[in-house]
Amino acid sequence: MTRTPFLKPEEMSAEQRRVYDDIVRNRGTWLNGPYAPLLQSPELADKAQAFGEHVRYRTVLPPKLNELAIVCTARHWDSPFEWFQHARIAQREGLSAEVCHAIANFQPPPFADNDERLIHRFAVELLETHRVCDETYHQASQRFGTRAVVELVAVIGYYSFIAMTLNAHEVPLPPDAGTPLPERPPHKKS
């Protein structure tokens, strides 16, 4: 059960309802995910959903690589809801189930190409060390361009915020989710 009550549309203030309606219009659905607790602060929810729409749908990175960065972030933050949503999307975008399984289980992923390997390395370095080494940064800039690197960092940062929101408010998984993210072994980092 979530720590923050999920509001029904009829319980929302006018501002909350406006943000709710915008999210439904922009995404085609409403999930009692991160925006449910964020609606307690409608202005924050509004700005978060606008930022999220950009980093999810309008970066210059191919969707598969964008989703790879998101699943790396979900695993790092041990966020079952974020993992459940984005591992499925990543696979629809072309990331293999084997790569997702390996990331979920702290195993070396069997990447299909060097682009996947580079995005993974960049994301894991940033999440684990809070920095990106010169070699990884240079390779990513050369391969994808400066704008893509800026947007990649924004994707990782935004989905870290979303994972923390989901975790802090204990937003439950949808009923059909089961337990898609294995528990972290006590000594493992992502």
Side-chain angles (χ1 to χ4, degrees), residues 61-102:
L61 286 170
K64 175 179 79 167
L65 298 179
N66 217 43
E67 290 297 328
L68 173 57
I70 296 168
V71 296
C72 289
T73 304
R75 174 70 275 186
H76 174 80
W77 289 104
D78 300 324
S79 181
F81 192 103
E82 189 168 85
W83 179 269
F84 171 71
Q85 293 295 77
H86 287 279
R88 295 182 310 164
I89 296 167
Q91 289 174 55
R92 278 197 312 262
E93 294 295 346
L95 195 65
S96 75
E98 293 78 18
V99 166
C100 290
H101 178 81

Side-chain angles (χ1 to χ4, degrees), residues 35 43 59 61 63-64 72 86 94 105 156 164:
Y35 296 112
E43 186 177 0
T59 69
L61 286 170
K64 175 179 79 167
C72 289
H86 287 279
N105 289 284
I156 295 164
M164 288 188 283

Side-chain angles (χ1 to χ4, degrees), residues 10-153:
E10 61 272 13
E11 299 171 325
M12 295 176 188
S13 70
E15 185 63 8
Q16 289 168 324
R17 183 59 192 253
R18 183 192 65 74
V19 174
Y20 170 88
D21 288 343
D22 283 350
I23 292 168
V24 171
R25 185 174 34 260
N26 291 336
R27 304 201 183 211
T29 189
W30 173 258
L31 295 171
N32 280 327
Y35 296 112
L38 288 173
L39 273 179
Q40 298 295 324
S41 175
E43 186 177 0
L44 176 62
D46 192 35
K47 298 209 182 325
Q49 73 95 13
F51 185 37
E53 183 182 338
H54 181 84
V55 298
R56 170 87 193 290
Y57 300 110
R58 295 197 308 265
T59 69
V60 296
L61 286 170
K64 175 179 79 167
L65 298 179
N66 217 43
E67 290 297 328
L68 173 57
I70 296 168
V71 296
C72 289
T73 304
R75 174 70 275 186
H76 174 80
W77 289 104
D78 300 324
S79 181
F81 192 103
E82 189 168 85
W83 179 269
F84 171 71
Q85 293 295 77
H86 287 279
R88 295 182 310 164
I89 296 167
Q91 289 174 55
R92 278 197 312 262
E93 294 295 346
L95 195 65
S96 75
E98 293 78 18
V99 166
C100 290
H101 178 81
I103 291 169
N105 289 284
F106 302 99
Q107 299 165 350
F111 291 116
D113 58 49
N114 287 331
D115 288 352
E116 290 178 6
R117 189 171 291 102
L118 181 54
I119 293 296
H120 178 263
R121 188 170 75 235
F122 190 104
V124 169
E125 281 183 26
L126 184 56
L127 289 162
E128 286 186 1
T129 71
H130 312 152
R131 303 275 188 277
V132 178
C133 76
D134 289 342
E135 179 183 354
T136 300
Y137 190 93
H138 178 72
Q139 286 177 0
S141 293
Q142 289 296 108
R143 173 66 185 105
F144 303 112
T146 302
R147 177 180 171 176
V149 171
V150 168
E151 291 178 343
L152 175 58
V153 172

Side-chain angles (χ1 to χ4, degrees), residues 1-7 32-34 36-38 165-173:
M1 183 52 103
T2 183
R3 291 176 167 166
T4 308
F6 290 162
L7 300 173
N32 280 327
L38 288 173
T165 298
L166 291 161
N167 290 351
H169 297 284
E170 294 182 352
V171 174
L173 286 164

